[in-house]
Amino acid sequence: MATATSCNKLDLKPLDKLDGNAMFSDPQGVKLYMANLYYQLPIEDFNFMRGGFNDWIGENMVSAHFTDEAVHSNYLDFLTTGNFHWWEQGYKLIRDVNIFSDAIPQLRVSEDEKNKMRGESAFIKAYTYYALAKRYGGVSIIDSVQKYEGDVEVLKVPRSTEKETWDFVMTQCDIAIQHLPETWPGGERRATKWVAAALKTRAALHAASIAKFGDRAVLSGEAVSRKLVGIEKMYANDYYRQVIDAANLLMENGPFALYKPNPASPEEAAENYRKMFEDPSVAPEEAIFIKGFTKVDLGHNYDIYYNPAQTANGWPHPGRINPTLEFIDLFESYAQPGQSSPIRTSAAANDITDYSGFNPAKNYYRFDHPSDIFEGKDARLWGTVILPGTQWKNTEIVIQAGFIKPDGTPQIMEGNPYTHTDGKTYHVFGSSDRTQYSGFDSYGGNYTRTGFSFKKFLDQRIPVVYGYSKGLTDYIDFRYAEVLLNFAEAVVESGITDNNAVAKATAALNAIRKRAGHTQDIPLTVENVQRERRVELAFENKRFWDLMRRREYHTLFQNTIMHALLPVVDLRVTPAQYIFIRTEVPRGWRYTFDPRQYYRYIPGIGSNGLVQNPQY
Amino acid sequence: MQKDLNRTLLRTGIALCAGLLQFFHVTAQQVPLRGKITNEKNEPLPGATATARLSNKAVIADEQGNFVLPGVDLQDSIVFSMVGYEPQTWPVPADGYISVILQATGSGLNEVVVIGYGTRRKANLTGAVSQINNKEIRTTTHSSLAQSLQGKVPGLQIRQNTGEPGDFSTTINVRGFGNPLYVIDGVPQNDNGQSFQRLDANDIESVSIIKDASAAIYGLRAANGVVIVTTKKGGKGKPSFNYNGVYGIQRPTDMPAMANRAQWAILRNEAEINANGVPYFTPEQLQAHIDGPSTDWYGLTMKDASSQAQHNISVRGGSDVASYFVSFGYVQEDGLLRSGDLNYKKYTFRSNVDVQLHKNWKAEVSLAGRYDVKNMPSAGFYNIFNGTRTALPYAEPYANGNPDYLALQQYINPLSSSRSDISGYSEDKGKEFNAYATLTFNVPYIKGLVLKGRAAYINNVNLNKSLIKSYRLYTYDPALPDPYVAHVQNNPSKISNRNFNSDAVTLQGHLLYNTRIRDHQLGATLVFEQNTFFSRSATLGREYDFYTNDQIDQAGLNNQTTAGIEEQRASQSLIGRFTYDFRNKYMLEYAFRYDGSYRYHPDRRWGFFPVISAGWRLSEEKFMQDIYFISNLKLRASYGQVGEDAGAPFQYVQGFTTSGGGGYEFNNGVWLTGAASPAIVNERLTWFTSNIINLGMELGFFNHRLNIEFDVYQRDREGLLARRLVSLPNTFGGTLPEENLNSDRVKGIEFLVGYNDRIGDFTYSISANFNYARTMNKYVERGPFVNNTDKWRSGSGYRWSDVIWGYVLEGQFQSYEEIANAPIQGGDLGNSQILPGDFKYKDINGDGVIDGNDMQPIFYNGTPKMHYGLTLNAAYKGFDLNMLFQGSARYTIRFREVYAEVFAFGLNTPAYFFDRWHRADPYDPNSEWIPGKWPATRFVTNAGTNYLESEVWRRDASYVRLKSVQLGYTIPRDIVRKAGLQNARIYFNAHNLVTFADEFVKPFDPEKIEGAYSAGFSYPLTKSFNVGINVNF
C-alpha cells in the first residue's frame, strides 16, 4: 500500500505541456499548431529583411535596397554572402511540419479531416522547400521526422539535384491543390486550393527561369557537375507549362479578379492601387492569401522606418527607403503606352544620360511646382512613391536639394540659407526646421537621397506610432495580379500557344494596365511583361528574385551606381521656379554583383557533409 | 484498538489537565540546599553562582567551591554559572545536596549539536558540523539573520550583496559548494533561505551547518550542505519575560564622490580638446562654471543616515507538564532616501509549546508567522541612485529655481524618481505562516525506543503592487507665454498586482532506538518523509488613460495584461542512520537516504545516497592520558554521496507548449498564440551526483583553553547538465536535450583556532576561523579545438573555474616618443588615439601588436575564494565586549559604465578621474603634460585602449573589516531588583565599522557586488551604530 501511495504522490503532470495526439485530433488544436507553422512560413512580408524572417526590431534593409528599386538613406551596404539566408530555420520548420504529417495516419479523425491535414502540410512543405531551393539550389529532402539515436551519420541526407528539389516542390503543390478546401470556415486566412495553385505559379516560374536563363551566368564546380545547382535548358518548358496550368486553374475556376478594374481616371486608379496595400481586406477579390498583423509589439516597422521625415511623428529613424531614379524612369506615361518614359529635365539630346550635375549653361525645363514634372505618368507611380511636393498625411512633402542663386551659383546639398532680394529666405533643404522637409540632408540618415520617398504599404490614415513592431498593416502574399503576370511571363517565354494562351496572356497583361488607368492595349512581349511586373509588383520583394532567377543581376550591377533626381529652386528667374538635375545618388557607392551569389552558400557543411555551392 | 485509543486520549486529557493544574498551583515545599562547584579537573570554582530560577535567590561559592542556599522550593531549579564555563541547570534534589562539575566553555565537548533528524554530543560527532548558539549570534544588529552569522562559522561563506532595506539577497554558500538547503525545526524549506534570512535572531536557539557528506541524510537537495535552525523552546519555572530593544542609525560604509561643477567643466573641456583639438568652452565660459554653484544631487536625494529599530518581547516558562516559548518581534528600517519612500517593516511571532500528555506521550506544537512590507518608489533604487551619480552638476533640480517645477535632466532627475507621490511606488508584502506539530511516543517496555510523528504546514504569500505614474518635468523658456514647458515622463501610467501563494506540507514518521550494551552504545534512526508543494501565481496589469487613483478598477481597459501559472512538486524519502560508539572512543556512523523526486522519469526517479563516517578520540586512549597538555584529540573522516536536482522538471515528458511558439492571425483581428513543437526529450535526465570526502582533526590543549579544529574536504560532482556536442547536421531541425555530462571538483580547507582564559575576574576568548576553497572544472562538453592556441585560450576543462583573462599592465605612457616606439595596441587605428598617460600593456608574444593573443589568465573572478573571521570576547565584572573582524579574499571587482568610464553616456563622471594627465594650459596645445593617476580625459569612443581588461579596472577586492563590536554592561542585580527586574543589560554595538581594502575599491565597499550592468548602483552597504537594552522580568 505504501508503494501505491508513494507512486501516486510523485506522479505529477507538467502544467505547461499539451498532449500531441489529443491536440491533433481536434480541428481547434490543429489550428493552434498551425499558428506556429504559419508563423514560421517564409512569407516575404514586412518583417522579411536581409537578416531573415520575423525580424521585429532593429533591421530595416529590405530586398529592394539590394536592387535597382531603391537605395537606403543611411546604409551603403550591398548584397553580401551572409544576407538572405534561411537554412536552420527552414529545417526547423521542416521538422515541425513533419511531426504533424507523420502523426496524420494514426489520428482518429475522419478521412476528410485527414485529407485537409495532408493538403495543409503539403502546402507548408512546398512553401518551405521553395524558399530553400531559390536560395540554395538542390537541398536535402527530409520528408519525415528524423530520430537521433546516437549515430550522427544516419541523419546526414545528401543534397538532391536542383531539379529534384523543384520537382518535390511541384509535387507538394499538387498534393496541396488536390486536398485543400476552396475556403476555410469563417474565411480563415489559411492555405486553400487557390493559394497552393498561386504558390505553384510562383515556384514553377522560378524553376523555369533557372532552366532557361541559367547559361547567362556560368558557374562551375562539384555542385554544378552533380547538378545540385542548375537545371538543364530542356526542362524549361515543362515548368512554364506547370505555371500555365496552375494559373489556368485559378483564372478559370477560381473566384478571383482584379480589384477595381475600371477606374474613371488615373487619379482614381492611383488611389485604388494605394488603398489596396493600405488595407488588403478591402480587396478580397484580388487578395488570394493575406498575412495579417494584429498584435501590437508583434507587428512590423514599415510605418516607422519608411515614412518621410516630415511625418515621422517623433520617431528618430524615418525615411529609409528611397526609390531610385531608375525606378521612376521605368514608368510609362499615358501619352506613350508600351514604353518607359524617363524623366527629362531639359531638351538636351543627352539629357537622360547626363549625370554630371548642375550645368549653368543647360536650358533646364522649369516648373512652378515640383510635382509638375511627373504629370501624365502611370498612376502606380503616384500610388507607390511620394513625389516631391505632393501631399501625404495632409502635409506637403518637401524634397529639395538646394537652390541656384540669381547670379547662377548653385548651392546644392550644403551651405547657408540665402535671403533673396524679395526678402524671402531660401534654405537648402526647404526649411530651417528639420521636421519640415524630407530630402537630402545627411543628418541621421533620415532624408531621401534620391529625391523620392516611399509610399506603398504605408498607412495614411494614422500617425506613426512610436516604437518597434507597432505596425499592423496586413500584407498580401499572393494576389491575382501576380498570377496573371506569372502566366503572361510563362506564355511569352515558353512560346506555348495552345488553349488560346497568347490571347489570354495579352488580355491579362492589359487588364492590369487598364486597372492602372491605361486605355491603350500593348502587345505581349518579354519587355512589356517585365516592365509591367516591375511596376505592378514593385517593393513586393519580387525584383530581387526576378534578377536572381532570370540571371540579370550580374549584368545590371557591374560597378553600377543608382541615380537620383534633385529638385532645385531656380532663383535666376522671378518668381522662382523648380528645375531638376539628374545625378548619381549622393554619397552613393558603386556595386558589382558576384555571380556566385546566384546561390547562397550552404551553412554548416562541416557537420552536414553536403557539397558546397559553386565558388564558395 | 479503537477502545485503546479512546482510553489513551482520555488519559492524555486527564494528564494534561492535571499538569496544567500543577503548573498553576505550585506547592511551596522548601529545603535548604548545599553543594560544591568544581571544574573537570575537580578543582573548586570560587565565585561561581548558584541561582534558584523561581525565587531568584542567588549565592556565590566560597574558596572551596562550596555554597549554601537557605531555602529553596523542591519545584525550583538551580542554575550554576561561572564566567568561562557552560551554565548548567539542575532540579533541586530531595536530599538537599548537589555536586556540580562545570565544563569550560571553550571545549564544548558536551554541547549537544543538532544534526539531521537528531542530535549528537559534540565529542561524538563524526561529520563536519558547526553549531552556533543564540548568544554568539546576537552580537550585532541587522535585519538579516545572515549578517549575524557572517565571519563566525568556518566554511560558512556569506556575502552581503546590497544594503537595501527589505532585500534579503545575501549570498550564503557552504564551503564554496553553493546554495545550501535550509531546515527549520526539522522541516526542509523550499525558498532558498528567504524565510531563514528573515528569522528573528532572538527566537533562535542554535544554527548548525552540515558541511560534509553527513548532509546525505537530506539526499537530493543536500549537495551544497544544510543549514539547520532550531528555535527556542520553553523551560521550567514561572514565566520569564525578556524584552530586547535596539535603536540605531545606519549610514553608507563609504560613497564615491562625483565630479563637482568645476571638475566637470574642466574635464568636459579637455575631453573635447583631447579628441578633436577644439575646446568645448571658451576660457570665459569655463571660468563661469568653475566659479558657479554646483548641485549636490546626492545630498538632495539621500540622507546622511537612516534609522533602524528592533524590538522583541518573549516569555518562556513551564512545568513538568507543559512548557512554552512565545515571542513577538518587530523590525523597522527607514532607508536612506530623503523622501522616506524606501523602507521596510517586519512583524514576527512564534509560539512553541510542548506538552507532556502522558508519561510516554509528548506533543509539541509550534506556530510561527511573519508579515513584512517593503516600500519603494517605482523607479527602483538603481535608477534613483543612477540619477544622483549622473545628473550634471551645473544643472538645477528645479526649473527656474521654482520648487513646484522639477527640472528635466539629461537623463534622470533623482528627486522625482525618489518620490512615490510623483513617480509611483512598488510595495512588496510577504506573509508566512508555519504550523508544526509533533507527537512523540516512548514505547513502553522497550527502553530506548521512541516513535515520533510530525506534520508541518508552511504557507507563503507574496503580494506585490506596482504603480508607475506618469508625471511632468519642466524646462524653462522665458520667451514663451507659459515659460514652464512640461515634458511628460512614464506615460501612460501603469498599475499591476502580482500575487503568489504557496502551500508546503511535510509529513514525517520517525523510529528512534538507542541502547547500551556494556561499553557499546548503539543507535538507529529511521524516518519516512514526504514533501509536497503547490504554488499559484497571477499577475494583472492595466494602463491608465488618465490616472485617477491607484486601483486596478480605476485604470483603463486597453492594454490589460494577465499572467498566471501553478507549480507542483513532491518528494518521498526513506532515511536511516545507524551509530555505534565504543566507550566514546571509537565512533562509527552509517546513514542513507532513499529519495524519490517528481522531477524525473518514473523509472529513474529514486536515488540512494549513503554516507559513512568514523571518529577516533585518541585522547581517550590510555597512552595519551600522560600527555597532560592535550585535553582532546579526535580524528574523524566521512565519505558519502549526495544529490542535487538538475534541470527543469518533466524533461522526460514530450509535449507541445504554448510558450516559445509563434502566433498567427488566421482571422482578421484575432491573434492566435501557436503551440510550439515538442523539444527532444531526455528520459535519462537525472540529478547531479556529488561525492564528498572530509578529513578532520580536533585538538584541545591546556585543559581546553586552546582548541583547534582542522578540516580538508573535496567534493566531486558528476552529471552536470550540458548539451552533447555531437555535431548534428543542421538539417536535423532540432537541438539535443540537456544531459548529465559535465563534472567539477571543489577542494578546500578550513580551520578554527580558539583560545580562552581567565585572569581573576577578567575572562577572554579569541577565536579565528579560516576557509579557502576553489572549484575546478573537470570534464566540460565542447567541440574540438581549432588549434593549440584555441585550446589554451578557450579551453575550460580540467582548469580552475574562477580565472579571468586580462592584459598585463606595464604602466602609463610617459611621452609621445614612448607611444611611437611601443607595440601597436589600437588595432586598425594603430596608436593614433593614444596620448601620454594612457595605459600601456605588455606584448606577451612579442609580435609587436597588443591583441587578444596577449591576454593572460591573471585574475580571479568575482566570487571570493577565501574567507576569514576573528572573534574577540572579553568580560570583566558586569562588562562584556565582543569584536568580530571578518573578511574575504582572492576575488576581483570590475565596474562598468559610470564608475569605470570617463563621461559614460555623456553624463557626470566620478571625481577620482580628475587626477589625470592634462596639459598645463588646456588652451595651449604645446604646453607640457602634467602627469596624473588616470589617462588624459576623453569620451569612451576616443579613449583608445584604456578600457581593456587590466588591473586598472579589475581590482583585487580582498578586504578585512571590523564587522561588529558590541559593548555591554549588566546592571548590578541589587539595583535591578529595586526596579522589579531580574536582569538588565544595556549595550552598544556597531556594524561594518572599519574596512581595510584596496583604496580604489573601498569607496564602493568591496563586499557589495557590482550589481545590475556591473554599474555598482545597488544600495550601499551600511555601517550602523546602535544602542540596546535587554531586560528580564
Side-chain angles (χ1 to χ4, degrees), chain B residues 791-870:
Chain B
K791 189 172 180 182
W792 150 247
R793 192 67 184 79
S794 339
S796 56
Y798 300 94
R799 288 191 193 177
W800 297 116
S801 66
D802 52 22
V803 173
I804 289 182
W805 293 63
Y807 292 90
V808 178
L809 187 75
E810 282 198 319
Q812 285 169 282
F813 288 108
Q814 299 298 314
S815 64
Y816 283 110
E817 189 191 356
E818 190 182 348
I819 296 167
N821 294 324
I824 302 298
Q825 58 182 44
D828 293 343
L829 293 167
N831 285 350
S832 63
Q833 283 195 326
I834 297 179
L835 293 178
D838 281 8
F839 299 121
K840 183 179 176 186
Y841 307 100
K842 188 166 173 153
D843 183 11
I844 298 285
N845 61 5
D847 63 355
V849 177
I850 308 284
D851 58 14
N853 295 327
D854 295 303
M855 292 182 91
Q856 296 289 303
I858 47 178
F859 298 111
Y860 287 108
N861 68 3
T863 312
K865 259 61 72 182
M866 198 181 274
H867 300 259
Y868 33 81
L870 179 75

Side-chain angles (χ1 to χ4, degrees), chain B residues 1012-1024:
Chain B
Y1013 310 105
S1014 292
F1017 287 172
S1018 51
Y1019 196 96
L1021 297 199
T1022 52
K1023 58 171 84 172
S1024 67

Side-chain angles (χ1 to χ4, degrees), chain B residues 316-365:
Chain B
R316 80 197 285 189
S319 67
D320 289 340
V321 173
S323 67
Y324 52 87
F325 169 81
V326 179
S327 118
F328 293 91
Y330 171 69
V331 169
Q332 172 260 319
E333 284 183 272
D334 73 353
L336 284 162
L337 292 187
R338 268 191 197 284
S339 66
D341 291 335
L342 174 60
N343 54 55
Y344 177 68
K345 285 188 179 63
K346 179 179 76 172
Y347 305 83
T348 51
F349 87 92
R350 179 170 297 277
S351 160
N352 292 347
V353 177
D354 294 5
V355 181
Q356 193 71 42
L357 303 168
H358 173 265
K359 171 172 80 165
N360 293 325
W361 287 93
K362 186 178 164 196
E364 296 160 63
V365 176

Side-chain angles (χ1 to χ4, degrees), chain A residues 5-7 9-21 23-24 28 31-36 38-39 43 87-88 91-92 95-96 99 140 142 146-148 152 155-157 185-190 281 289-295 298 474 603-604 607-608 610, chain B residues 528 530 532-534 559 565-572 596-599 602 605-606 649-678 680-681 724 726-734 736 739:
Chain A
T5 8
S6 63
C7 285
K9 276 286 169 199
L10 298 182
D11 280 342
L12 300 179
K13 291 264 175 283
L15 302 173
D16 57 353
K17 290 184 180 177
L18 317 169
D19 178 46
N21 254 334
M23 198 165 78
F24 292 155
Q28 201 54 33
K31 191 170 156 186
L32 209 62
Y33 192 63
M34 281 297 155
N36 183 37
Y38 276 72
Y39 156 81
I43 299 173
W87 182 273
E88 277 91 353
Y91 278 99
K92 177 180 184 306
R95 183 181 182 84
D96 286 357
I99 286 172
S140 314
I142 297 169
Q146 290 185 316
K147 285 198 173 56
Y148 172 64
V152 174
L155 300 176
K156 293 182 179 174
V157 178
E188 276 175 30
R189 293 163 167 181
R190 289 168 77 166
S281 57
F289 186 52
I290 291 176
K291 173 156 180 185
F293 291 88
T294 191
K295 196 172 164 66
L298 294 174
D474 290 345
S607 57
N608 60 27
L610 299 181
Chain B
F528 173 78
Q530 174 176 303
T532 51
F533 175 87
F534 173 81
N559 289 336
I565 187 76
E566 293 181 351
E567 191 194 354
Q568 293 179 314
R569 303 179 213 159
S571 66
Q572 285 179 328
S597 167
Y598 75 108
R599 304 172 77 91
R605 63 166 52 136
W606 287 89
F650 302 114
Q651 292 201 32
Y652 65 91
V653 180
Q654 176 145 22
F656 297 77
T657 106
T658 46
S659 64
Y664 201 79
E665 187 189 7
F666 286 129
N667 296 85
N668 200 2
V670 182
W671 176 262
L672 183 70
T673 301
S677 57
I680 299 166
V681 300
R724 198 176 285 279
V726 292
S727 299
L728 280 179
N730 57 8
T731 48
F732 180 68
L736 290 179
E739 295 179 66

